[in-house]
Amino acid sequence: MSEPAIANAPEWSVSELSGALKRTLEDAYGHVRVRAELGAVKVHSSGHVYLDLKDERSCIAGVVWKGTAARMRMRPEMGMEVIVTGRITTFASQSKYQLVIETIEPAGVGALLAQLEERRKRLAAEGLFDADRKKPIPYLPSVIGVVTSPTGAVIRDILHRLADRFPRHVLVWPVRVQGDTCAAEVAAAIHGFNALAGDGPVPRPDLIIVARGGGSLEDLWGFNEEIVVRAAAESRIPLISAVGHETDTTLIDFASDRRAPTPTGAAEMAVPVRADLMAQVQDLARRQAGAVRRLLDRRRADLRSASRALPRGEDLLATPRQRLDLAAGRLAAALVAGARRHETKLADLARRLARLSPHARLAASRARLDGFSGRLVAARGAILRAETQRIHQRRERLDALSGRADRALAALVQRRRDRLASLWQLAESYSYHGVLARGFALVRDADGQPVREAAAIGAGAVLDVEFKDGKVRVVAGDPGKARPTRPKGPVGGQGSLFG
């Protein structure tokens, strides 16, 4: 290129050139559809999502703005094969171009299955699908919570099957079973049932059924979302998943406590057949009654056999009675022999005593006896004096105690007499006779029951009026008639209450 040509080329500022490139790219690639593998995916604190789109040879930066990311049906993850739609633009401050993404969808069923398998392995590694986390299904739940669409055939099938087998109280939490908000609504329903109080106005379910009819993998994708799986694993209430047909498998089936092939099958797992249960109970009752009868018959037979094996009372006493007779026959001879032995022993002792000299022993014994006698007389005198003095002291003490006891008893009797008098006065004050003494009267009907209200007295009723000094029988007049005028001036005594 010649020097004049270069000199005639227009000059661009950096901003101008950057803007021109931006307009060129946006005009030429205003709407593109790109198939790529997701590289690094970063969710910024602002809510925007930054990611890389790559293939074997190239890489393009992509951005999903916050509003678009909130509306997406699937969450982008590294390694997913996707088809994205958007527009090319530039980021002028870094001389980069990027794809502003408007939609992201899996690149075919194979990509969805790969994403599903990767998510299943990751959640399984966290232990969400472990068998020891599974809770037993209650045999007969009182309240069953159902998370499904309120307008589909699924809820009708479940209610119809429950009514056929064993009617129960059913709470339906309406949700969308497909679409962008499906996963969030299902997770919120599971958490909502668990948050109910046991004694609140809405009963807390004993069992939860999450149900949906059959559909494609995309239709059932909401039940593969991580928030739904975690909600099912964290549920404190046993949960049965019944999503799709028997051949359909979603991640909530791994996290639930029990998987049902169909919604109808979930209803069959939830409750037993009432008729079969009643028949089983009746059969068990018959078997129990028969077992009790057989046990009683066997015990009666054992008792009769044991009674036949027992000996009679006369046979039991025959041998002891015979031994007693033999011992009584030998008793007389034994007494004579014992007396003779003692007589012989006594004679032998008498002969030994005669051989000893009793006179010396008798003198020594007499001297010791005299000494003992003197000492005994002296000791007896001292003891008598000491005892006399002690008796005198005890008598004085007894007299003092007797005087104190008499005074205490008199004071106690006086206190009890005063208390009795006060209690009697209190009883007299509580008695209605005291009220009569103050000028009042007690009115009783013909049955002797006190009359407390004038409305209870009819015209012509016979009444007994009790005063302080006696009773008077009166007849009640018509309350509508005027009473006769009471005479003025002093009146001796109390007049009649009725005229």
Side-chain angles (χ1 to χ4, degrees):
M1 184 178 293
S2 62
E3 187 68 25
I6 297 177
N8 293 330
E11 295 181 356
W12 296 74
S13 67
V14 175
S15 297
E16 291 174 345
L17 181 58
S18 177
L21 291 174
K22 178 180 178 69
R23 288 189 296 273
T24 301
L25 285 175
E26 290 180 352
D27 292 342
Y29 303 97
H31 185 80
V32 294
R33 184 176 172 87
V34 181
R35 183 187 185 103
E37 178 185 345
L38 294 181
V41 178
K42 179 182 178 182
V43 180
H44 197 269
S45 59
S46 61
H48 308 317
V49 180
Y50 299 94
L51 48 82
D52 293 334
L53 302 172
K54 64 180 182 178
D55 57 12
E56 295 84 358
R57 292 175 295 176
S58 304
C59 179
I60 300 177
V63 60
V64 184
W65 303 127
K66 176 181 178 180
T68 305
R71 296 191 301 269
M72 284 188 175
R73 297 176 54 184
M74 59 175 291
R75 189 181 69 177
E77 297 178 4
M78 186 174 63
M80 292 176 56
E81 186 176 357
V82 295
I83 296 176
V84 300
T85 302
R87 55 187 176 84
I88 293 291
T89 185
T90 62
F91 187 46
S93 61
Q94 295 185 5
S95 298
K96 292 175 58 178
Y97 65 91
Q98 60 186 6
L99 180 63
V100 178
I101 299 172
E102 298 174 356
T103 62
I104 299 178
E105 57 186 21
V109 177
L112 282 178
L113 292 177
Q115 180 186 0
L116 181 64
E117 180 63 19
E118 186 276 331
R119 183 177 296 171
R120 186 191 68 80
K121 291 180 180 180
R122 177 167 54 82
L123 295 177
E126 296 182 18
L128 299 184
F129 305 153
D130 292 347
D132 55 359
R133 295 175 59 97
K134 309 294 183 183
K135 296 174 286 296
I137 303 300
Y139 181 71
L140 187 59
S142 299
V143 181
I144 299 176
V146 180
V147 179
T148 188
S149 172
T151 59
V154 170
I155 185 61
R156 293 195 297 272
D157 293 342
I158 292 176
L159 295 177
H160 178 71
R161 199 58 175 162
L162 290 175
D164 288 343
R165 292 174 67 86
F166 205 122
R168 297 281 84 188
H169 185 189
V170 177
L171 296 177
V172 179
W173 195 298
V175 296
R176 292 183 178 88
V177 293
Q178 70 181 57
D180 298 341
T181 61
C182 168
E185 292 184 15
V186 172
I190 297 174
H191 290 311
F193 275 136
N194 279 270
L196 291 176
D199 54 352
V202 179
R204 189 172 189 264
D206 303 314
L207 177 67
I208 297 176
I209 298 177
V210 179
R212 186 208 188 279
S216 64
L217 180 61
E218 290 83 358
D219 294 336
L220 304 180
W221 190 256
F223 297 91
N224 293 317
E225 293 293 346
E226 186 173 341
I227 58 173
V228 175
V229 178
R230 293 190 181 277
E234 295 169 359
S235 174
R236 299 185 300 275
I237 302 174
L239 187 144
I240 297 177
S241 63
V243 179
H245 299 302
E246 187 171 1
T247 56
D248 297 325
T249 302
T250 57
L251 293 184
I252 192 176
D253 296 332
F254 296 98
S256 63
D257 300 301
R258 190 87 174 268
R259 177 186 182 268
T262 60
T264 303
E268 294 176 353
M269 291 179 182
V271 295
V273 180
R274 184 177 183 179
D276 295 346
L277 188 60
M278 294 177 64
Q280 182 181 1
V281 171
Q282 293 174 356
D283 180 62
L284 291 175
R286 287 193 298 269
R287 291 172 59 186
Q288 183 183 27
V292 170
R293 287 195 299 270
R294 290 191 296 273
L295 177 62
L296 292 177
D297 294 340
R298 187 165 60 250
R299 294 297 171 83
R300 289 193 190 97
D302 294 342
L303 183 59
R304 286 194 293 268
S305 300
S307 63
R308 286 193 297 268
L310 287 175
R312 296 182 303 168
E314 295 178 357
D315 297 337
L316 290 174
L317 296 176
T319 300
R321 187 178 291 132
Q322 186 176 6
R323 287 201 300 266
L324 181 60
D325 293 340
L326 293 175
R330 292 197 299 267
L331 181 59
L335 288 175
V336 173
R340 288 177 180 173
R341 285 198 304 273
H342 287 294
E343 185 180 0
T344 302
K345 186 176 181 181
L346 183 59
D348 182 58
L349 291 175
R351 286 193 299 270
R352 291 174 59 191
L353 184 60
R355 285 195 301 268
L356 295 176
S357 174
H359 300 288
R361 292 190 176 184
L362 184 60
S365 297
R366 186 177 288 113
R368 275 198 311 274
L369 184 60
D370 292 341
F372 289 152
S373 177
R375 291 168 59 188
L376 181 60
V377 170
R380 183 178 62 183
I383 291 173
L384 286 176
R385 289 191 298 272
E387 289 297 328
T388 301
Q389 184 178 2
R390 187 161 57 251
I391 289 172
H392 180 68
Q393 294 174 352
R394 295 290 176 83
R395 183 177 290 112
E396 292 178 351
R397 184 179 180 186
L398 181 60
D399 293 340
L401 292 176
S402 176
R404 292 172 59 188
D406 292 340
R407 291 190 298 274
L409 180 59
L412 177 62
V413 169
Q414 184 61 37
R415 286 196 303 273
R416 295 296 173 86
R417 184 179 290 112
D418 295 341
R419 179 171 176 79
L420 181 59
S422 64
L423 291 176
W424 179 256
Q425 291 176 0
L426 182 61
E428 285 292 330
S429 66
Y430 287 161
S431 173
Y432 75 94
H433 292 288
V435 179
L436 296 180
R438 293 197 298 273
F440 293 93
L442 175 62
V443 181
R444 292 189 174 92
D445 58 14
D447 297 330
Q449 299 297 323
V451 178
R452 295 179 174 84
E453 298 177 355
I457 302 174
V462 179
L463 305 173
D464 289 333
V465 181
E466 182 179 353
F467 299 93
K468 173 183 178 184
D469 54 351
K471 298 181 180 178
V472 176
R473 174 158 291 188
V474 298
V475 176
D478 187 356
K481 296 181 180 181
R483 294 185 180 180
T485 305
R486 180 178 297 178
K488 299 182 179 180
V491 179
Q494 181 177 351
S496 172
L497 296 175
F498 300 95

